[in-house]
Amino acid sequence: MIAPDAAIATRVPYEVYFDADIYAREQERIFRGPHWTYVALDSELPNPKDFKTSFLGDTPIVVTRAADGELHAFINKCAHRGALVCREPRGNKATHQCVYHQWSYDLAGNLIGVPFRRGIEGKGGYGPDFDTGALGLTKLRVDAYSGLIFVTADPEVESLFDYIGPQMRPWIDRVYRKPTRILGYTRQFVRANWKLYAENIRDPYHASLLHLFHTTFGIYRSSQGGGIILDETGRHSFLRAFKRTEAEETESYKAADLRTYKEEYSLEDPSLLRSRAELTPELTNSIQTIFPGLVLQQIANTLATRQIVPKGPNAYELIFTYFGYADDDDEIAAIRLKQANLVGPGGYISMEDGYATEIVQQGIVEDRSGASFMELGGTTNESDENLITEASLRAFWTYYNRLMDIHAA
Amino acid sequence: MLLDKPNRSPAELLCALTALNAEYARAIDSGDLEAWPRFFVQSARYAIIPRENAALGLPVALMLCIGTPMMCDRVAAIRRANIFAPHVYRHIVGMSVVLEDSPTVVRTSTNFAVFQTLLDPIDYGKTITYAVGEYQDVIEVAETFRFRERVVITDTAKIPTLLATPI
């Protein structure tokens, strides 16, 4: 048996992607453990009494804004018999009532109403020691950073500010520099383990090799400049790409003779890619991940969060929340909608991601002795000024294994 | 049958709309995607919008083409760039409801269901209900009917894996 930390990062045993026991342990140690999970944007809950349902791993939760403007979050499970209390995805309510026996709760999750508590005509009901104070919904800690709302089930975990950390905060601030406006949602259900997507978004190697849209239409070649930034735990990452000069790009592609270097096609309507500079520094793409389930993307002028929601060992759901800024003018609003073609389930440069994770899941089926190979750019896991590296994946797996104690196959 | 004549009957109109939708579905289902933009006038708008967004008044589309050049680009990307599991669609299209009938423009609502059959080696031949919803159309009435606008509202918000082929 190889020591857990050393080998796991470059040889990830395939069974972590399908084993039901490992999945159950992840729910406990990762999603219900000492981590903050992204659940909403603050502009989704602008008014008192607004609520939104979401997930903490598998667990259904509700995030609410109370009358005083404070955010609250609780597990969406009645304290009485376990029924889902909140049965709508979003809305505005002063109280939340379980339909089964009409137990009702305030916006902080406190139990405030129990029908027939004293019985009828002195018969039935609850005894004198019945304590509504002890029977609320299970409350979660909730906090927001720059407009992103997170929850945690762990009472001890560090503050959200510290959890995001000094390496990641500036990149969130870069995008969340002013109030946002929600533009819409897309969702996709993918038949693969959630960590395959966690890898995918940390993996700059595949960008120009799997996603052929830009290169096919001669928009850019992928030897564009860029790099990765990791936080000190390795669990979060920031991947950025910017344009290099045309000559540099073309030469390195011709030299490599890749199928992705083609010049013969062009878009009939290139307005799709007409962008407007708006963020500093200017980047063509930036993909930031906050462990375990948030991706914050800026691809040209499309801004979105992606929420990775595990749905058992062999499936995950990906929820895109697209946004602009509250003060967007008509031109930038139109650019964002047009460029939404680039991302999401039908995105020109993102539809392949879900599919890539599925073909891995299909390929490794029940292989309990094999492991994936992650040595691109060496075996270390540090920030780097290039994109031909798997350092960010190794960092993810190193951190994961510190939590999960998986041994190499 | 001259449908742009002012005195066409409702039955003639319904018959023409049914034929339009049947031919549209047949083009996509048979894999003739190059024919797809030809069902639209040059400046037409095509959008696939989850019902979730439509109900909330939010504009984001799963696929948005403004003008037939963008539609041709979508087809070119499907043919040459995008990677996805090989599959075919089968559209089942309902009877159109005519919401507005003028001599030059007809506005309609038409239900649809799209089944997707996968042709990859793992799930070969497996059929899933891929998307159901409603076409909200603005159709230019001439000798040939063409869409000025086709907004595909999908009740199906949770897309199975990905969306490559137009609906």
Side-chain angles (χ1 to χ4, degrees):
Chain A
M1 188 90 63
I2 303 167
D5 259 15
I8 182 84
T10 58
R11 298 286 191 283
V12 178
Y14 287 140
E15 69 178 354
V16 303
Y17 303 108
F18 56 76
D19 185 86
D21 291 337
I22 290 174
Y23 181 82
R25 204 150 25 112
E26 287 172 351
Q27 292 300 315
E28 178 197 330
R29 295 191 189 180
I30 294 176
F31 297 101
R32 296 195 300 271
H35 302 102
W36 287 93
T37 290
Y38 163 79
V39 291
L41 287 173
D42 65 354
S43 47
E44 291 179 279
L45 302 153
N47 302 311
K49 302 177 216 164
D50 282 349
F51 70 91
K52 179 193 174 187
T53 63
S54 189
F55 295 92
L56 178 62
D58 277 338
T59 308
I61 66 125
V62 184
V63 54
T64 67
R65 190 179 291 282
D68 62 2
E70 279 295 299
L71 292 168
H72 298 274
F74 42 78
I75 293 176
N76 192 1
K77 180 181 66 181
C78 187
H80 177 218
R81 297 265 289 278
L84 210 60
V85 174
C86 189
R87 298 174 304 114
E88 293 154 341
R90 58 179 76 79
N92 184 283
K93 279 184 179 177
T95 60
H96 290 276
Q97 187 178 60
C98 177
V99 293
Y100 199 174
H101 305 89
Q102 295 190 25
W103 282 34
S104 59
Y105 303 90
D106 69 15
L107 296 176
N110 300 305
L111 180 62
I112 54 169
V114 177
F116 305 117
R117 184 175 164 182
R118 304 283 174 228
I120 295 175
E121 293 175 0
K123 294 186 177 146
Y126 291 102
D129 57 346
F130 179 77
D131 177 12
T132 53
L135 282 167
L137 297 169
T138 305
K139 293 173 187 172
L140 300 166
R141 283 172 70 191
V142 57
D143 202 358
Y145 180 79
S146 271
L148 298 162
I149 301 170
F150 293 73
V151 302
T152 181
D154 189 325
E156 306 295 326
V157 69
E158 65 211 295
S159 71
L160 177 63
F161 185 87
D162 290 338
Y163 178 81
I164 294 170
Q167 294 92 345
M168 292 295 120
R169 285 195 303 264
W171 300 107
I172 294 181
D173 297 341
R174 172 177 169 268
V175 175
Y176 286 89
R177 63 204 172 89
K178 52 185 179 175
T180 60
R181 179 173 58 174
I182 303 298
L183 300 178
Y185 303 92
T186 63
R187 302 161 186 271
Q188 55 197 119
F189 189 85
V190 184
R191 297 170 303 161
N193 185 272
W194 70 276
K195 297 185 296 301
L196 290 168
Y197 192 74
E199 286 181 356
N200 176 276
I201 46 158
R202 286 171 171 81
D203 167 18
Y205 185 32
H206 82 276
S208 65
L209 301 169
L210 174 68
H211 306 302
L212 303 179
F213 179 76
H214 281 80
T215 47
T216 298
F217 293 101
I219 298 154
Y220 68 73
R221 337 280 182 243
S222 101
S223 59
Q224 57 181 317
I228 53 168
I229 294 171
L230 301 167
D231 78 317
E232 59 197 19
T233 67
R235 61 192 172 186
H236 313 316
S237 73
F238 179 76
L239 197 156
R240 69 194 189 289
F242 50 81
K243 279 181 191 159
R244 289 210 301 212
T245 68
E246 189 73 9
E248 279 176 323
E249 291 170 3
T250 307
E251 282 319 302
S252 58
Y253 254 75
K254 277 181 174 161
D257 192 28
L258 294 174
R259 73 184 156 126
T260 53
Y261 182 74
K262 292 172 189 159
E263 261 181 328
E264 59 263 50
Y265 305 119
S266 58
L267 291 176
E268 287 192 32
D269 183 354
S271 72
L272 173 69
L273 296 152
R274 208 163 290 148
S275 298
R276 201 164 97 179
E278 60 172 341
L279 301 178
T280 312
E282 202 180 325
L283 300 171
T284 49
N285 296 349
S286 70
I287 306 285
Q288 182 167 22
T289 67
I290 301 296
F291 187 88
L294 169 64
V295 184
L296 177 55
Q297 66 141 76
Q298 169 255 318
I299 292 176
N301 288 117
T302 68
L303 307 174
T305 61
R306 306 177 193 171
Q307 199 179 348
I308 312 169
V309 184
K311 297 287 177 190
N314 298 305
Y316 64 89
E317 187 177 343
L318 200 55
I319 305 167
F320 285 72
T321 304
Y322 303 78
F323 61 90
Y325 298 113
D327 64 356
D328 277 355
D329 58 39
D330 291 347
E331 184 195 56
I332 192 74
I335 289 173
R336 293 197 210 287
L337 292 182
K338 200 181 257 197
Q339 290 186 343
N341 277 300
L342 295 170
V343 297
Y348 280 131
I349 58 168
S350 74
M351 75 168 77
E352 290 88 2
D353 289 322
Y355 179 55
T357 64
E358 282 192 353
I359 61 175
V360 174
Q361 199 79 15
Q362 290 170 349
I364 64 175
V365 58
E366 284 303 315
D367 180 352
R368 290 187 183 271
S369 57
S372 67
F373 175 67
M374 292 184 192
E375 290 190 5
L376 189 73
T379 56
T380 58
N381 47 18
E382 284 146 11
S383 299
D384 205 346
E385 287 300 315
N386 82 86
L387 293 171
I388 312 301
T389 175
E390 286 165 341
S392 179
L393 283 74
R394 291 188 289 273
F396 171 84
W397 287 110
T398 302
Y399 180 75
Y400 176 90
N401 205 36
R402 206 173 301 151
L403 304 167
M404 295 289 295
D405 197 24
I406 306 291
H407 292 269
Chain B
M1 185 164 59
L2 282 173
L3 288 152
D4 50 345
K5 68 182 179 184
N7 59 342
R8 60 160 186 250
S9 72
E12 282 175 320
L13 177 62
L14 269 184
C15 186
L17 292 169
T18 303
L20 172 69
N21 281 318
E23 284 161 21
Y24 177 98
R26 184 166 183 271
I28 295 173
D29 295 352
S30 69
D32 185 11
L33 295 181
E34 283 70 17
W36 171 63
R38 297 201 283 270
F39 288 89
F40 295 83
V41 300
Q42 208 262 341
S43 62
R45 176 169 174 270
Y46 172 82
I48 305 176
I49 298 179
R51 185 172 179 166
E52 176 181 21
N53 290 352
L56 293 167
L58 299 174
V60 158
L62 286 154
M63 190 182 285
L64 172 67
C65 298
I66 301 165
T68 50
M70 274 188 85
M71 297 179 206
C72 293
D73 288 339
R74 198 37 104 157
V75 173
I78 292 166
R79 296 291 191 217
R80 295 165 187 155
N82 287 128
I83 294 171
F84 46 85
H87 65 268
V88 290
Y89 277 176
R90 185 67 62 187
H91 283 72
I92 307 298
V93 181
M95 171 90 80
S96 295
V97 176
V98 177
L99 303 172
E100 185 189 322
D101 181 6
S102 80
T104 53
V105 166
V106 178
R107 220 159 51 76
T108 61
S109 159
T110 310
N111 287 352
F112 70 86
V114 175
F115 300 93
Q116 186 187 58
T117 302
L118 291 162
L119 301 175
D120 67 285
I122 303 298
D123 286 314
Y124 189 87
K126 180 182 169 186
T127 300
I128 58 169
T129 307
Y130 180 75
V132 300
E134 176 194 358
Y135 291 120
Q136 296 178 345
D137 297 324
V138 179
I139 298 161
E140 284 200 6
V141 176
E143 199 165 345
T144 310
F145 280 26
R146 283 202 180 84
F147 298 108
R148 179 184 292 178
E149 180 171 272
R150 167 153 267 197
V151 178
V152 186
I153 302 292
T154 58
D155 299 348
T156 311
K158 202 177 288 199
I159 302 297
T161 309
L162 60 84
L163 172 75
T165 309
I167 291 170

